Amino acid sequence: MKCEGFLTIPVSAVFLSMGFVYYITIFVFLEDWVGLQSSAGSLNSLIFSFLFFLCLFSFFSCVLIDPGRVPASYIPDVEESGGSDKEPDKNVAQSRHCDKCSTYKPPRAHHCRVCRRCVLRMDHHCPWINNCVGYWNYKAFFILVLYATIGSIYSTVIVISCSCQKDFGGKVPLKTFYIICGAVMTGLSITLGILLGWHIYLIIHNMTTIEYYEEVRATWLARKTGQSYRRLFDLGAYKNITLVLGTNMLKWLWPTSVSHLKDGLAFPISRDNS
């Protein structure tokens, strides 16, 4: 059952952390700073609650959406006619055979040792969602990181603003609690910001985390032999973005809007690499 994906310590830890951040931000720091009954308090509470809902929905999507299975009947189509922007012959050349699954795996697919199967356009296995991040849930994962970063920064601003105007009156334990919360939220914001920046870089260059490290090695080998290495799937920044988020900008920020995705078995190739 898909619901079993929630029954792990890392996933439970994420739930508890999200709940804790939401509670202290709204009912401790925001209440202490401007009061929830004030117009400013009500507005900030509404905005932060909306961000919390978006984070929670994106998180559920990451856990529940299958990242992409390789069809049991998949065989590289060597007879497909050319002329399309997918350049099937090159995709076939990229196809490999998985010894663990005893079947072919399409371009950009990799075997996950945790899930014990090949995953389409695999980025990495994430224990925090108890799932692989792959072709079908990569957008949900990216949107989750985006909303979590915005929410974390929002919470940090509220915590620090409240702490700066707070009169502790010699209450050391209370002051320590405020300082610790400020430090934790600042660290969380920086960590999530770095993760968000990393995946923005990957999306702009149409790469996965696995492919990035493969590229590092391939670039080194190419330089060693006096050759140059070119990214096979890099179609330009905007095109790369639309391949992940879709062509409709109004749906970019909705994690389950993936109607633009196809089967994940073949991908457009840069003409520069032909």
Side-chain angles (χ1 to χ4, degrees):
M1 296 177 61
K2 290 185 177 181
C3 292
E4 292 178 356
F6 294 96
L7 304 179
T8 64
I9 294 177
V11 172
S12 299
V14 173
F15 268 123
L16 291 174
S17 298
M18 292 175 66
F20 177 75
V21 170
Y22 178 78
Y23 179 82
I24 65 168
T25 301
I26 299 295
F27 299 104
V28 176
F29 292 99
L30 189 59
E31 168 68 22
D32 191 27
W33 183 25
V34 293
L36 295 179
Q37 301 303 318
S38 66
S39 57
S42 299
L43 179 61
N44 279 280
S45 176
L46 181 63
I47 294 174
F48 192 78
S49 295
F50 182 63
L51 278 173
F52 177 77
F53 165 76
L54 292 174
C55 283
L56 200 59
F57 181 77
S58 300
F59 182 71
F60 269 83
S61 300
C62 289
V63 176
L64 296 176
I65 296 177
D66 190 292
R69 293 178 178 270
V70 178
S73 59
Y74 173 76
I75 298 177
D77 188 359
V78 296
E79 296 181 354
E80 184 175 347
S81 59
S84 70
D85 64 349
K86 290 186 178 180
E87 300 192 16
D89 292 339
K90 290 192 176 182
N91 275 331
V92 170
Q94 288 290 314
S95 298
R96 297 144 298 167
H97 189 272
C98 179
D99 295 330
K100 296 183 177 64
C101 296
S102 298
T103 186
Y104 289 104
K105 53 184 178 180
R108 314 186 78 177
H110 294 274
H111 186 89
C112 176
R113 291 175 294 178
V114 180
C115 297
R116 299 179 182 177
R117 64 183 176 91
C118 287
V119 177
L120 296 177
R121 196 187 180 276
M122 179 178 173
D123 186 88
H124 68 286
H125 183 88
C126 181
W128 302 108
I129 62 172
N130 193 29
N131 200 3
C132 269
V133 177
Y135 187 67
W136 288 103
N137 67 347
Y138 181 77
K139 178 180 179 178
F141 176 80
F142 174 74
I143 297 302
L144 169 63
V145 175
L146 174 63
Y147 286 143
T149 302
I150 296 173
S152 181
I153 293 175
Y154 198 161
S155 176
T156 302
V157 171
I158 292 175
V159 171
I160 293 178
S161 298
C162 176
S163 301
C164 290
Q165 62 86 44
K166 178 72 174 177
D167 181 12
F168 295 100
K171 299 178 181 178
V172 177
L174 182 61
K175 184 176 183 180
T176 302
F177 172 75
Y178 273 59
I179 293 175
I180 291 176
C181 286
V184 169
M185 291 310 305
T186 300
L188 182 61
S189 298
I190 293 174
T191 301
L192 289 172
I194 292 173
L195 182 61
L196 176 63
W198 168 247
H199 281 281
I200 289 176
Y201 171 83
L202 292 179
I203 289 176
I204 289 177
H205 294 90
N206 197 5
M207 287 190 296
T208 64
T209 300
I210 293 175
E211 289 170 349
Y212 171 81
Y213 289 106
E214 288 179 341
E215 179 189 289
V216 171
R217 182 175 182 277
T219 302
W220 178 78
L221 290 175
R223 289 178 179 175
K224 189 176 180 181
T225 56
Q227 300 176 340
S228 60
Y229 176 81
R230 292 182 179 180
R231 298 189 181 100
L232 190 63
F233 302 104
D234 191 351
L235 307 177
Y238 179 74
K239 180 64 176 179
N240 293 339
I241 292 172
T242 59
L243 288 175
V244 174
L245 302 182
T247 55
N248 188 344
M249 291 187 181
L250 297 177
K251 298 181 179 180
W252 276 12
L253 299 181
W254 191 245
T256 57
S257 177
V258 292
S259 59
H260 60 285
L261 298 181
K262 298 180 181 179
D263 55 14
L265 302 178
F267 299 89
I269 293 177
S270 174
R271 294 293 184 181
D272 293 336
N273 293 291
S274 57

